C-alpha cells in the first residue's frame, strides 16, 4: 500500500469514527430537548437519512427549476474546475430572506451537471426540517439538518455537503450589505472539515439579495416574540416582496427577477489532525481564508452588475 493510499484510508477511518460519535452525541442532545415545541422541532429535524433523496422527484422538478434558473434568474455559474473529487465541504453565503434563491439555484445547477451520480446534500435550519410539508420536500431533495451528525455522516460516506454557516444572520442581512461575505463568525465548518479530512470549496454569489431586498433585520422583534428561544431565530426581517410589497419576509412570496451570479472558488485545504480542532489560531486562520476567498469572488461578480436589481 502506497503512503498516499494509507493516508487516505486513515482519514476515511477517522471520518467514520467522527460520524459515529456525532450521531451518538446528537441523539442524546435531542433526547434532552424532549417536551414542548423545541422538543418537537428537535425530534422531527433529527429524523433524516442519506437515502431520503427521491431521484424521480428530482427529475420531475427539473421542469420547474430549469426555466427558473435559465430564464427568470438568468443564472451564470462558473469555477467548476475548482471542485475536487468527492467528498468536499462546500461553504457559501446566501441572501434573499428565508427562501434564499441563490442557494437553491446552486443545488439545481449541481444536479444538472452531476445528476444522481454525485449527490449534493444541502443543509437547512432545524425549524425548516421539522415543518411537515417543507421538511418532506427538503428531504426528497437530499437536504439534511445543519447538524454535526448528518453532515459528518454524509462526508464519511463520500458524499458532498454544502453549508451556509451564516444561517439566518447571513440570509436576512439588510440589502445594503448584500455583497458582504457574512459567515457570522461561526467556525464549526472548519472543525468539521478537519475532523472529516475534506477540502473546503468556498462559493461566491451575488444577486440573491436582490430577489427579496431586506429592509430591516427585526432582531428586537424576534426577541419580543421569543422566536430566538422557540425556533432559534434571532431576527424577524421586513422585506420588499411580491405580492405584499413590504411585509414580514417569512410570508410566501414571489421573488423579484434578479440576476444571480455564482462562482466556485479555489479549494481551501485543512490538515486532518484532530488536535487542530482545539487550535483556535489555526481554526480562525482557515475561517478567515474561506471568508476572504468568498469576498474576493463576490467582489469580482458584483463588478459585473449593471443595475442594482435586474442586471
Amino acid at each position: 500500500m502506497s503512503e498516499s493510499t494509507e493516508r487516505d484510508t486513515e482519514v476515511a477511518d477517522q471520518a467514520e469514527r467522527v460520524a459515529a460519535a456525532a450521531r451518538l452525541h446528537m441523539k442524546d442532545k435531542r433526547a434532552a430537548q424532549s417536551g414542548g415545541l423545541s422538543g418537537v422541532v428537535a425530534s422531527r429535524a433529527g429524523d433524516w437519512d442519506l437515502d431520503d433523496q427521491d431521484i424521480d422527484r428530482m427529475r420531475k422538478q427539473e421542469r420547474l427549476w430549469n426555466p427558473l434558473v435559465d430564464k427568470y434568474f438568468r443564472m451564470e455559474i462558473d469555477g467548476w474546475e475548482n471542485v475536487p473529487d468527492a467528498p468536499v465541504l462546500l461553504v457559501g453565503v446566501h441572501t434573499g430572506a428565508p427562501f434564499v434563491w441563490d442557494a437553491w439555484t446552486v443545488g439545481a445547477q449541481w444536479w444538472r451537471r452531476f445528476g444522481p451520480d454525485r449527490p449534493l446534500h444541502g443543509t437547512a435550519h432545524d425549524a425548516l426540517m421539522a415543518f411537515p410539508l417543507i421538511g418532506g420536500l427538503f428531504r426528497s431533495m437530499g437536504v439534511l439538518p445543519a447538524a454535526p451528525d448528518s453532515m459528518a455522516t454524509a462526508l464519511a460516506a463520500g458524499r458532498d455537503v454544502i453549508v451556509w454557516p451564516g444561517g439566518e444572520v447571513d440570509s436576512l442581512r439588510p440589502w445594503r450589505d448584500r455583497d458582504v461575505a457574512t459567515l457570522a463568525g461561526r467556525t464549526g465548518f472548519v472543525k468539521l472539515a478537519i475532523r472529516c479530512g475534506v477540502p473546503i470549496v468556498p462559493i461566491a454569489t451575488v444577486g440573491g439579495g436582490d430577489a427579496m431586498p431586506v429592509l430591516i433585520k427585526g432582531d428586537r422583534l424576534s426577541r419580543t416574540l421569543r422566536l430566538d428561544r422557540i425556533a432559534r431565530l434571532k431576527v424577524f426581517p421586513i422585506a420588499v416582496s411580491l405580492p405584499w410589497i413590504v411585509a414580514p419576509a417569512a410570508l410566501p412570496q414571489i421573488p423579484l427577477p434578479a440576476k444571480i451570479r455564482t462562482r466556485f472558488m479555489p479549494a481551501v485545504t485543512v490538515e486532518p489532525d484532530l488536535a487542530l480542532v482545539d487550535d483556535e489560531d489555526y481554526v480562525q486562520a482557515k475561517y478567515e481564508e474561506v471568508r476572504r476567498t468568498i469576498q474576493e469572488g463576490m467582489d469580482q461578480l458584483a463588478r459585473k452588475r449593471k443595475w442594482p436589481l435586474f442586471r
Side-chain angles (χ1 to χ4, degrees):
M1 183 182 293
S2 67
E3 183 176 342
S4 61
T5 301
E6 183 176 356
R7 177 180 170 82
D8 290 343
T9 301
E10 291 176 353
V11 171
D13 289 344
Q14 174 177 297
E16 290 181 0
R17 294 194 301 271
V18 165
R23 288 194 296 270
L24 183 60
H25 171 73
M26 288 303 298
K27 181 180 179 180
D28 293 340
K29 182 177 180 179
R30 292 185 178 112
Q33 292 178 294
S34 61
L37 182 58
S38 61
V40 173
V41 170
S43 176
R44 290 184 176 176
D47 182 18
W48 57 267
D49 192 290
L50 294 186
D51 295 324
D52 280 340
Q53 188 179 62
D54 187 331
I55 302 302
D56 290 337
R57 193 169 184 176
M58 291 288 289
R59 286 175 173 147
K60 291 178 181 178
Q61 288 184 15
E62 292 180 14
R63 303 169 189 170
L64 168 65
W65 282 107
N66 286 344
L68 274 177
V69 167
D70 297 332
K71 304 298 182 182
Y72 198 78
F73 293 121
R74 306 172 309 287
M75 187 182 186
E76 295 178 4
I77 186 167
D78 59 34
W80 291 104
E81 69 278 4
N82 292 322
V83 180
D85 293 337
V88 298
L89 180 64
L90 299 105
V91 176
V93 297
H94 53 13
T95 53
F99 300 95
V100 290
W101 296 102
D102 49 4
W104 287 108
T105 49
V106 170
Q109 292 279 20
W110 187 279
W111 172 263
R112 176 183 287 179
R113 188 175 185 89
F114 297 112
D117 295 332
R118 187 173 177 176
L120 174 66
H121 291 284
T123 52
H125 194 284
D126 277 5
L128 293 174
M129 296 300 295
F131 201 84
L133 295 178
I134 295 177
L137 174 63
F138 281 13
R139 284 171 174 78
S140 73
M141 300 178 73
V143 177
L144 299 171
D149 57 341
S150 59
M151 295 185 292
T153 298
L155 291 170
R159 309 275 188 102
D160 300 303
V161 175
I162 185 169
V163 298
W164 319 94
E168 76 284 354
V169 177
D170 182 6
S171 66
L172 304 177
R173 66 189 186 274
W175 185 76
R176 66 178 179 274
D177 298 327
R178 68 197 186 284
D179 294 336
V180 177
T182 306
L183 300 179
R186 297 169 181 168
T187 58
F189 70 90
V190 177
K191 297 177 181 179
L192 177 64
I194 293 172
R195 291 186 175 111
C196 294
V198 297
I200 301 170
V201 177
I203 305 175
T205 187
V206 300
D210 298 328
M212 189 177 183
V214 174
L215 302 178
I216 60 171
K217 291 194 299 182
D219 45 352
R220 292 183 180 179
L221 183 57
S222 176
R223 290 194 295 271
T224 300
L225 297 176
R226 298 175 62 84
L227 295 177
D228 54 337
R229 295 187 178 183
I230 295 174
R232 291 171 48 204
L233 295 176
K234 301 182 185 302
V235 291
F236 189 75
I238 304 299
V240 177
S241 63
L242 298 175
W244 317 107
I245 308 303
V246 176
L251 289 176
Q253 51 99 359
I254 299 172
L256 300 176
K259 183 175 180 63
I260 295 177
R261 295 179 172 91
T262 300
R263 177 168 295 164
F264 296 105
M265 302 297 289
V268 174
T269 58
V270 297
E271 288 296 322
D273 181 352
L274 293 180
L276 292 175
V277 171
D278 298 319
D279 187 332
E280 294 184 5
D281 291 338
Y282 181 84
V283 170
Q284 190 61 40
K286 288 298 178 178
Y287 168 89
E288 181 56 30
E289 183 179 354
V290 173
R291 190 209 62 78
R292 184 175 62 252
T293 301
I294 293 175
Q295 187 63 67
E296 290 173 356
M298 292 177 69
D299 291 343
Q300 295 166 6
L301 296 175
R303 285 194 288 269
K304 294 185 176 183
R305 185 189 288 125
K306 298 179 181 179
W307 299 98
L309 282 177
F310 306 121
R311 298 295 297 275

